Amino acid sequence: MSRCVAIINGDIFDGRKPSLFRGNVCIQNGEIFSIGDLPDEFIADETIDAHGCVVCPGFVDLSVYLREPGQEHKATIASETKAAAKSGVTTLCCSPETVPVIDTPAVVELIKEQSILAGFSHVIPTGALTLHLEGQALSAMHALKQAGCVAVSNGTRPVRDTLIWRRALEYATTFDLLVIVRPQDPWLTAGGCIHEGPVATRLGLPAIPACAETVAVAQILALVEETGARVHFSCLSTRRAVELLRSAQEKGLTVTADVAVHQLHLLDTQAEGFDPMVHVIPPFRSQEDREGLREALTEGVVSAVCSDHQPHEEDAKLNVFSATEPGVASLETLLPLMLSLVDQGVVGLPEALARLTRGPAGILELDGGILAPGNRADICIFDPEATWKVDEQSWWSRGRNTPFWGQSLKGRVRWTLVQGKVVYSAD
Amino acid sequence: MTTLQLDEQGRLRHFLTIEGLSRDWLIRIMETAQSFGSVTAQSVKKVPLLRGKTVVNLFFETSTRTRTTFELAAKRLSADVLNINLSVSATAKGESLLDTIRNLEAMFVDMFVVRHADSGAAHFIAQHVAPHISVINAGDGRHAHPTQAMLDMFTIYHHKQDFEKLKVAIVGDILHSRVARSQIQALKILGVSEIRVIAPETLLPASVTELGVRAFHNLDDGLADTDVIIMLRLQKERMQGAMLPSEHEYFQCFGLTEARLARAKPDAIVMHPGPINRGVEMDSQVADGPRSVILEQVSHGIAIRMAVMALAMGVVQRGAVA
């Protein structure tokens, strides 16, 4: 594979320089050959004119539900990695909450094989933290790591026993595995489906208080202090949780966090009229919480933004609000919603892109997320001004469960390259 | 959700919640109920307004009083009534809610009266039924019980007339109560001078004051100078533990007795949506005493439900039987 590709005239964000610059990216053998001027000796087999577009590292998404194996009626590895490629995502971590769960090397191998066969984005399976995700016994973390996992997590399933938590963190540390935690105290959550506040009170929906998250974060932070484990909090939703995180980082603890992109936009008020598309866990919270998340994003306390893509079949959302399955299909809205934050002045474009690239890559300790000679040529080329409508024609994910259905969004991926190969082209 | 329950001409299509209705609408419902008052008292208790129409009582949660009064109301309007208790049938067989609705729709029915344990159930059904079918919410989760609220307003109106001057206290399990939520909305729309909720902190929902009420933890303080006292049923089946230590302690702190009733205005009325837990929410002396209007509420329930059904089916004009 000695194919040479030249991406010319783009505005490049390389993940290192603080601003974008006009130039060319040359690719050879699936790796980046040069950035800047076109080298005289470089003869391209294929030239991509990226005029008017941003050229940046492919996005690294820390939380995606692929639904395979076991829930192929919702989505498949092929369907969702294809949607990921269309969204500029070149590497994704898939949730261990499959059927069976990812607690054996066989399931890791299956997912890797299927994703290679599909030929779109790289998939890094996140291993189960506990056996069967039941929160009672440790998973075979060494075997999972050997099979290719770089992180373990219990996903949305609770680990009720704090001793198991401590042991799991210690054991993960033994193999230098990252532990991804979706912090939510199971007792305080108690069957809730919406943020506890005036909206839940008026609609009479069972609520999840903000303290369900902060209690869990505080508990894990205390255990991190004790164990020195490398912990990443996924999908934070409250101001108080990012405050706890900020002070833990100031103390020098090895803790990081991400936020789901829709959490930076939507509020609990969205549930008026019982729209099941906004049933998501953790729930959309108050304006104050959203401001807190946005501040943490700007500062870099939250160093990654994920899609937390959870595709569902139509029936999963055709029920009374609390009986519907939570989650939003959100890969394809990842970039437009980030660019909307840039338009609103919440964050600059380089910082926004860093939260989708260098930030999450750094959390996983991957080399990716930076465009530099010798690095794997995983690249996203997008038109920041192009608008598109979320509808049947434009949508690729099998799950159509998005609160943005029918809306026009700004920011469209034109090309996605994985290892120097074009895996998505809008034309 | 005004758009879902009112059509473009402002007519009532469904009756799902009090929220979003105008004062004029609440008055219209009460006036219509008033006009049915004579029907319920005469020896032949029927009017032919809904002759040939089929009303389905679709109860996903058991209820005796509400279902019975809806059934009577429909029969007094000459409708055919079908009672379906789904808490034991279809859902146990794994049929989805939408499939249940589609099947009943295929039987050419005209109205669903829905009781469901989940908030938003009536909204969901109203969003998915065929356009000619009306949905009446007979209680959904903790969200709304609009006909109960209307019969309560109707009862208050019979005793007090001028809503603007009233201080109303609602006592008990506000957290789980759809009745309280609908009552608060109706009282606000009718413009009462003050609404109080009285309960231990564990039975008050978060941000309760944003509903436009004053919250009290002390029954004596909360009852002072009130005109209307609404006691709520302590929904034992909904308690998940750790909300109250015992019924005994609840009664000690929040049970209504003759002595506590003396804190309210001398002509204050006592209401309860039923069924009463005697000795838990209130003393028998109060429940059966001269200030209690609890049985009146039940009778008014029939007239209010006749009114709502007739208005939703478009067979009455304002206040008068067509």
Side-chain angles (χ1 to χ4, degrees):
Chain A
M1 204 175 95
S2 62
R3 201 175 158 77
C4 296
V5 183
I7 303 165
I8 59 168
N9 299 325
D11 294 315
I12 300 170
F13 171 74
D14 68 358
R16 293 197 291 204
K17 293 197 184 67
S19 57
L20 278 67
F21 56 95
R22 180 67 55 87
N24 312 293
V25 177
C26 294
I27 299 163
Q28 193 175 39
N29 295 329
E31 288 180 355
I32 292 168
F33 178 76
S34 70
I35 297 174
D37 295 331
L38 276 177
D40 292 337
E41 74 275 18
F42 190 84
I43 299 157
D45 301 305
E46 185 180 355
T47 300
I48 294 171
D49 186 357
H51 178 77
C53 290
V54 173
V55 180
C56 66
F59 305 143
V60 178
D61 194 336
L62 294 175
S63 180
V64 172
Y65 285 69
L66 294 175
R67 305 301 191 193
E68 188 182 345
Q71 293 180 299
E72 291 84 353
H73 62 289
K74 292 186 185 293
T76 64
I77 291 170
S79 72
E80 301 318 289
T81 53
K82 190 177 172 193
K86 183 210 163 208
S87 313
V89 174
T90 54
T91 298
L92 61 89
C93 294
C94 68
S95 159
E97 294 172 79
T98 45
V99 185
V101 304
I102 309 178
D103 64 354
T104 59
V107 183
V108 178
E109 293 297 341
L110 173 89
I111 291 168
K112 279 166 59 184
E113 267 171 37
Q114 289 301 313
S115 60
I116 290 165
L117 207 61
F120 298 104
S121 311
H122 299 287
V123 174
I124 306 176
T126 300
L129 181 78
T130 61
L131 193 64
H132 310 315
L133 294 175
E134 285 169 354
Q136 285 165 4
L138 302 182
S139 66
M141 292 186 207
H142 174 65
L144 290 170
K145 180 164 184 174
Q146 282 198 316
C149 294
V150 298
V152 285
S153 174
N154 229 54
T156 59
R157 319 277 176 91
V159 177
R160 293 189 158 80
D161 186 328
T162 43
L163 182 60
I164 299 287
W165 255 130
R166 182 181 176 177
R167 297 277 186 258
L169 291 175
E170 286 171 343
Y171 197 63
T173 307
T174 314
F175 306 108
D176 193 30
L177 279 163
L178 177 72
V179 180
I180 299 177
V181 180
R182 294 180 72 116
Q184 194 170 21
D185 183 87
W187 287 283
L188 289 168
T189 301
C193 60
I194 176 180
H195 171 63
E196 184 178 276
V199 179
T201 291
R202 232 181 46 254
L203 297 179
L205 286 168
I208 304 174
C211 65
E213 182 167 294
T214 50
V215 163
V217 168
Q219 177 180 296
I220 294 296
L221 286 175
L223 293 170
V224 169
E225 268 187 287
E226 197 80 22
T227 60
R230 206 150 57 81
V231 163
H232 173 73
F233 291 109
S234 190
C235 299
L236 291 184
S237 67
T238 64
R239 172 184 280 276
R240 187 78 190 101
V242 294
E243 284 170 3
L244 289 169
L245 178 71
R246 185 182 292 117
S247 50
Q249 286 175 345
E250 281 164 3
K251 267 199 278 181
L253 293 190
T254 53
V255 282
T256 52
D258 69 55
V259 172
V261 71
H262 34 271
Q263 197 70 246
L264 292 161
H265 289 271
L266 302 181
L267 301 174
D268 60 345
T269 48
Q270 224 80 28
E272 297 285 0
F274 300 99
D275 178 7
M277 291 309 171
V278 300
H279 181 196
V280 58
I281 304 250
F284 296 128
R285 296 201 181 267
S286 68
Q287 180 139 15
E288 207 200 324
D289 287 311
R290 186 179 68 181
E291 291 315 310
L293 296 179
R294 287 179 166 193
E295 284 163 23
L297 179 80
T298 311
E299 292 166 40
V301 170
V302 166
S303 55
V305 172
C306 68
S307 68
D308 198 28
H309 179 66
Q310 300 188 24
H312 285 298
E313 78 283 18
E314 200 187 352
D315 281 352
K317 292 285 189 185
L318 262 181
N319 210 332
V320 181
F321 189 92
S322 59
T324 57
E325 292 182 51
V328 175
S330 50
L331 270 169
E332 289 160 82
T333 50
L334 178 63
L335 173 66
L337 292 183
M338 277 309 273
L339 293 177
S340 164
L341 293 176
V342 175
D343 278 351
Q344 292 174 51
V346 174
V347 64
L349 180 60
E351 291 75 28
L353 294 175
R355 304 292 178 266
L356 296 175
T357 56
R358 197 188 60 213
I363 291 163
L364 295 173
E365 299 187 340
L366 301 179
D367 295 332
I370 288 172
L371 297 182
N375 275 9
R376 201 165 71 189
D378 293 348
I379 296 171
C380 169
I381 304 165
F382 67 88
D383 181 345
E385 299 301 325
T387 58
W388 57 285
K389 195 174 173 204
V390 181
D391 60 16
E392 286 88 355
Q393 276 80 48
S394 66
W395 198 253
W396 282 17
S397 168
R398 196 73 78 69
R400 291 179 170 184
N401 47 305
T402 168
F404 299 99
W405 197 260
Q407 292 188 28
S408 279
L409 302 175
K410 201 168 96 174
R412 182 161 168 261
V413 175
R414 294 286 303 277
W415 293 274
T416 304
L417 288 82
V418 171
Q419 259 171 310
K421 187 174 155 237
V422 175
V423 293
Y424 171 74
S425 165
D427 303 317
Chain B
M1 290 315 292
T2 306
T3 48
L4 189 56
Q5 59 184 358
L6 297 179
D7 70 10
E8 283 137 17
Q9 282 79 46
R11 287 179 306 226
L12 196 69
R13 281 201 58 218
H14 307 293
F15 191 53
L16 308 173
T17 173
I18 299 289
E19 200 177 5
L21 290 179
S22 62
R23 185 174 197 280
D24 195 47
W25 253 114
L26 303 197
I27 301 289
R28 188 183 306 182
I29 291 166
M30 290 195 279
E31 282 176 0
T32 309
Q34 187 70 41
S35 74
F36 285 131
S38 56
V39 177
T40 51
Q42 69 201 23
S43 56
V44 177
K45 299 181 179 62
K46 276 204 176 193
V47 285
L49 287 172
L50 294 186
R51 180 177 291 157
K53 302 284 186 192
T54 305
V55 173
V56 179
N57 274 329
L58 201 52
F59 278 57
F60 295 89
E61 209 183 48
T62 50
S63 149
T64 310
R65 188 172 320 223
T66 305
R67 191 189 53 71
T68 313
T69 50
F70 265 109
E71 186 177 348
L72 268 177
K75 284 180 171 166
R76 286 182 183 170
L77 293 167
S78 308
D80 296 320
V81 183
L82 200 61
N83 287 315
I84 302 181
N85 182 1
L86 284 149
S87 59
V88 291
S89 78
T91 38
K93 292 177 196 152
E95 185 177 55
S96 84
L97 177 54
L98 209 53
D99 284 337
T100 306
I101 298 301
R102 294 267 176 272
N103 275 283
L104 289 166
E105 253 177 23
M107 299 174 199
F108 304 103
V109 303
D110 301 283
M111 178 180 280
F112 288 129
V113 175
V114 181
R115 159 73 62 99
H116 198 287
D118 291 331
S119 302
H123 278 80
F124 175 77
I125 292 169
Q127 277 165 343
H128 290 93
V129 287
H132 70 278
I133 295 177
S134 283
V135 177
I136 310 286
N137 187 2
D140 63 324
R142 307 174 187 178
H143 172 238
H145 196 347
T147 59
Q148 176 71 44
M150 285 314 302
L151 72 89
D152 293 332
M153 298 307 114
F154 194 47
T155 306
I156 295 171
Y157 179 71
H158 272 249
H159 289 271
K160 300 289 175 194
Q161 281 84 38
D162 202 355
F163 279 98
E164 277 87 0
K165 291 179 183 153
L166 299 182
K167 285 187 180 140
V168 181
I170 306 173
V171 186
D173 184 3
I174 311 288
L175 176 65
H176 296 101
S177 180
R178 53 191 167 219
V179 175
R181 282 174 178 79
S182 286
Q183 285 168 339
I184 289 166
Q185 284 159 0
L187 290 165
K188 263 166 65 181
I189 292 164
L190 292 168
V192 297
S193 86
E194 192 177 323
I195 309 168
R196 300 173 182 178
V197 292
I198 309 170
E201 192 62 27
T202 46
L203 296 180
L204 286 174
S207 320
V208 66
T209 52
E210 294 199 26
L211 294 176
V213 301
R214 279 181 72 190
F216 289 81
H217 295 146
N218 181 294
L219 185 60
D220 286 329
D221 293 348
L223 290 183
D225 209 26
T226 50
D227 302 276
V228 177
I229 303 165
I230 302 172
M231 304 301 295
L232 296 175
R233 178 175 166 77
L234 189 63
Q235 303 194 10
K236 282 182 278 189
E237 70 274 18
R238 292 241 173 98
M239 296 290 158
Q240 295 185 343
M243 287 201 171
L244 292 172
S246 67
E247 290 175 3
H248 175 75
E249 182 153 311
Y250 180 79
F251 183 72
Q252 291 297 309
C253 301
F254 299 96
L256 188 62
T257 58
E258 292 278 7
R260 284 194 160 129
L261 185 53
R263 304 278 300 174
K265 284 198 183 141
D267 62 346
I269 55 171
V270 175
M271 301 170 70
H272 191 295
I276 309 169
N277 296 308
R278 289 169 186 262
V280 180
E281 295 118 29
M282 63 171 81
D283 252 353
S284 284
Q285 288 100 307
V286 177
D288 305 327
R291 317 275 278 281
S292 165
V293 295
I294 295 168
L295 292 177
E296 254 178 75
Q297 288 175 268
V298 180
S299 313
H300 288 153
I302 299 167
I304 283 287
R305 282 158 185 149
M306 286 172 77
V308 168
M309 286 173 157
L311 286 164
M313 296 302 286
V315 294
V316 288
Q317 299 305 313
R318 181 182 182 116
V321 177

